[in-house]
């Protein structure tokens, strides 16, 4: 049956972002020169070829400097950083006040396409819609245009692209928006096609300052959360429940499920991660029937301080014993210390760890650590990295390796998933988690 598609154009109630006073050309030159001479000298993540390209880019921008807003300068700095190809060599410009403004939707890439998962109440009918085009081009083409701003691997790009393509100033910079609005074409769940002119959301998304996975995949947050596609569920799947450094539960068959969304504390309690890990281990150890399998869900863990979990990784391996198994769930948001955690678990269990889900957000070798500078005129952040990690081959070079990576390092070769799995949008909306189901089925079949 051929469905007749209805084409409609509806303008959103647009809150036009206030324009700041442009920086004079002299201030732009000052900040770009600082970036070249100070920041670039400190950051160690660039290959010789990438450094030459980055320095040439900055030199060209200095020569053609002109008055511009801080937002435009931030995008130039983001391009320079992205040339490193290193995930951690990226400053957080989206949380700078009044620098970027989100449109009234969030989305996530599922096998079915770019699906709207959260929306301002004025656009609630778009929940569950598939984005077909932005500014007249396909979502894939829009992703190619925005890639120059995103540092890191292809998987990292896939993860962060939804945030970049929902900031109106970014869409203007890549030619997909004009005068504060962009035309988005959607296919609704009933098959009809609508086009909306979207500008900055009438009110900010309470989850808008959160990581991309939190903006897109987890409902709620704040006193007035935006409507979410999972709001109809009486109980959320374990993987998208309220973010927590560590949360644990016992699943059918006795497997211990451990979910972690951050390896640094969400609060001012510096020991929160270690305390929660200790509590999980104590309960499991004292249980009448200690688990023979542990499922560690890191698919929405962007990292933190891996020193918080070096003991926990060893303890998990000891908990399941010489015949027990560990199943680690990774995904496109799994990054930094969460990658290290995965490597440590694999190393500690000596062939008894299986990895399921999607590829992690980065390689096993990367530059991290460092510090954040501030440009003198615009006061924009510039993060640099100076500590190397290599959890594939081991890190031994004292001249560049982050010292804890030497003393706690392992060489696991790869953390590519043994079983590649993605959650479809249909499963996600229905509250099903096929990745966790697969991990649990493996745990039950091996014990």
């Amino acid at each position: 049956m051929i469905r007749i598609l209805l084409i409609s154009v509806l303008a959103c109630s647009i809150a036009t972002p206030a324009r700041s006073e442009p920086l004079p050309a002299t201030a732009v030159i000052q900040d770009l020169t600082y970036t070249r001479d100070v920041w670039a000298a400190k950051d160690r993540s660039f290959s010789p070829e990438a450094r030459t390209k980055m320095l040439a880019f900055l030199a060209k921008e200095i020569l053609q400097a002109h008055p511009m807003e801080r937002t435009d300068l931030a995008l130039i700095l983001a391009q320079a950083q992205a040339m490193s190809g290193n995930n951690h060599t990226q400053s957080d410009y989206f949380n700078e006040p009044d620098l970027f403004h989100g449109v009234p939707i969030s989305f996530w890439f599922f096998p079915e396409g770019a699906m709207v998962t959260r929306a301002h109440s004025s656009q609630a009918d778009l929940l569950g819609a598939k984005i077909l085009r932005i500014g007249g081009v396909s979502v894939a083409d829009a992703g190619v245009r925005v890639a120059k701003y995103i540092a890191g691997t292809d998987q990292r790009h896939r993860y962060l692209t939804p945030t970049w393509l929902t900031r109106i100033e970014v869409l203007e910079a890549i030619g997909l928006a004009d005068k504060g609005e962009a035309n988005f074409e959607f296919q609704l769940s009933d098959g009809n096609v609508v086009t909306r002119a979207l500008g900055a959301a009438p009110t900010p998304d309470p989850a808008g300052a959160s990581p991309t996975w939190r903006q897109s995949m987890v409902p709620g947050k704040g006193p007035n959360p935006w409507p979410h596609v999972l709001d109809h569920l009486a109980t959320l799947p374990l993987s998208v429940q309220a973010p927590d450094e560590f949360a644990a539960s016992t699943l059918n068959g006795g497997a211990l499920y451990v979910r972690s969304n951050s390896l640094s504390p969400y609060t001012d309690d510096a020991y929160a991660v270690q305390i929660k890990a200790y509590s999980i281990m104590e309960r499991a150890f004292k249980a009448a029937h200690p688990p023979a399998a542990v499922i560690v869900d890191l698919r929405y863990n962007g990292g933190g301080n891996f020193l918080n979990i070096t003991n926990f990784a060893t303890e998990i391996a000891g908990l399941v014993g010489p015949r027990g198994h560990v199943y680690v769930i990774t995904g496109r948001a799994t990054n930094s210390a969460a990658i290290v955690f995965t490597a440590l678990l694999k190393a500690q269990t000596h062939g008894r760890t299986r990895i399921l889900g999607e590829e992690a957000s980065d390689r096993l070798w990367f530059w991290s650590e460092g510090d954040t500078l501030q440009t003198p005129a615009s006061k924009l952040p510039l993060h640099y990295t100076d500590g190397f990690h290599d959890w594939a081959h081991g890190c031994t070079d004292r001249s560049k390796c982050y010292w804890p990576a030497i003393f706690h390092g392992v060489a696991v070769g790869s953390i590519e998933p043994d079983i590649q799995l993605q959650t479809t949008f249909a499963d996600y909306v229905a509250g099903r988690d096929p990745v966790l189901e697969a991990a649990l089925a493996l745990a039950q079949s091996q014990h």
Side-chain angles (χ1 to χ4, degrees):
M1 181 178 70
I2 299 176
R3 185 184 297 276
I4 298 175
L5 301 181
L6 172 65
I7 308 293
S8 71
V9 178
L10 178 64
C12 168
S13 175
I14 296 171
T16 304
R19 291 291 184 179
S20 59
E21 189 70 23
L23 296 163
T26 52
V28 174
I29 292 173
Q30 182 183 17
D31 281 2
L32 291 174
T33 303
Y34 179 87
T35 302
R36 180 192 65 189
D37 296 345
V38 180
W39 169 79
K42 288 181 174 291
D43 191 276
R44 301 184 64 188
S45 66
F46 289 82
S47 69
E49 297 77 15
R51 182 172 296 277
T52 298
K53 180 181 177 182
M54 176 267 294
L55 292 175
F57 170 77
L58 289 173
K60 180 180 178 182
E61 293 295 330
I62 291 170
L63 284 174
Q64 61 187 25
H66 56 84
M68 65 178 66
E69 295 188 22
R70 289 176 75 241
T71 301
D72 299 318
L73 179 57
L75 290 174
I76 292 174
L77 300 181
Q79 276 189 261
Q81 293 167 71
M83 291 175 184
S84 68
N86 183 62
N87 283 10
H88 292 79
T89 308
Q90 188 152 40
S91 302
D92 184 5
Y93 294 124
F94 290 148
N95 280 327
E96 287 291 300
D98 299 319
L99 204 59
F100 292 92
H101 300 82
V103 301
I105 60 168
S106 293
F107 72 91
W108 189 257
F109 288 116
F110 292 88
E112 294 93 329
M115 311 300 292
V116 178
T117 52
R118 189 192 308 273
H120 185 270
S121 56
S122 65
Q123 304 295 321
D125 64 315
L126 294 176
L127 290 172
K130 178 180 179 179
I131 305 174
L132 301 177
R133 303 177 76 80
I134 303 174
V137 307
S138 69
V139 177
D141 287 344
V144 171
R145 293 192 187 196
V146 83
K148 63 184 178 181
Y149 301 120
I150 305 174
T153 63
D154 290 344
Q155 186 75 324
R156 185 68 170 175
H157 285 218
R158 184 169 180 249
Y159 167 54
L160 292 178
T161 291
T163 300
W164 284 85
L165 291 182
T166 51
R167 298 301 185 270
I168 194 65
E169 293 85 358
V170 174
L171 295 175
E172 288 183 327
I174 60 176
L176 302 183
D178 185 43
K179 298 178 181 178
E181 66 180 48
N183 286 327
F184 280 71
E185 185 179 297
F186 303 93
Q187 183 175 27
L188 304 180
S189 56
D190 62 6
N192 291 331
V193 172
V194 300
T195 300
R196 300 279 170 91
L198 301 181
T203 57
D205 178 6
S210 302
T212 298
W213 66 267
R214 178 68 178 84
Q215 295 175 40
S216 300
M217 299 298 282
V218 182
K221 188 162 188 180
N224 297 296
W226 284 10
H228 193 276
V229 75
L230 295 187
D231 285 342
H232 68 284
L233 295 176
T235 303
L236 291 172
L238 292 170
S239 64
V240 291
Q241 292 188 0
D244 202 328
E245 297 96 339
F246 276 116
S249 56
T250 301
L251 304 179
N252 292 336
L256 175 66
Y257 173 78
V258 178
R259 172 174 60 94
S260 177
N261 299 119
S262 175
L263 296 181
S264 286
Y266 283 125
T267 65
D268 292 334
D269 184 356
Y271 300 101
V273 177
Q274 297 177 47
I275 290 171
K276 289 185 178 183
Y278 178 92
S279 297
I280 290 170
M281 188 58 57
E282 183 176 46
R283 289 194 302 271
F285 183 81
K286 292 182 177 180
H289 300 286
V294 177
I295 300 171
V296 182
D297 194 341
L298 301 176
R299 77 185 92 176
Y300 300 128
N301 190 314
N305 185 351
F306 84 83
L307 294 175
N308 283 327
I309 49 80
T310 51
N311 289 339
F312 193 39
T314 302
E315 291 159 0
I316 288 175
L319 180 67
V320 299
R323 296 183 180 179
H325 291 77
V326 175
Y327 305 91
V328 184
I329 300 176
T330 61
R332 72 193 77 165
T334 307
N335 196 44
S336 194
I339 289 175
V340 177
F341 192 12
T342 305
L344 290 172
L345 288 168
K346 183 175 180 178
Q348 294 288 351
T349 52
H350 308 290
R352 291 176 289 108
T353 289
R354 302 288 298 279
I355 299 172
L356 300 88
E358 301 177 336
E359 292 180 11
S361 193
D362 201 358
R363 311 170 188 90
L364 276 170
W365 54 93
F366 53 85
W367 287 89
S368 184
E369 315 321 319
D371 204 348
T372 300
L373 306 174
Q374 189 179 70
T375 56
S378 64
K379 307 303 180 184
L380 289 168
L382 277 172
H383 184 70
Y384 67 86
T385 60
D386 61 3
F388 188 64
H389 294 244
D390 189 344
W391 302 89
H393 314 95
C395 217
T396 58
D397 186 344
R398 288 173 175 256
S399 69
K400 70 175 185 178
C401 290
Y402 178 47
W403 69 263
I406 294 178
F407 293 115
H408 299 280
V410 295
V412 297
S414 171
I415 58 166
E416 289 288 312
D418 301 292
I419 301 176
Q420 292 266 1
L421 285 172
Q422 288 191 57
T423 300
T424 66
F425 184 67
D427 280 336
Y428 173 71
V429 172
R432 295 188 294 267
D433 187 345
V435 187
L436 178 54
E437 290 172 4
L440 184 56
L442 278 174
Q444 292 173 338
S445 69
Q446 293 179 326
H447 303 290

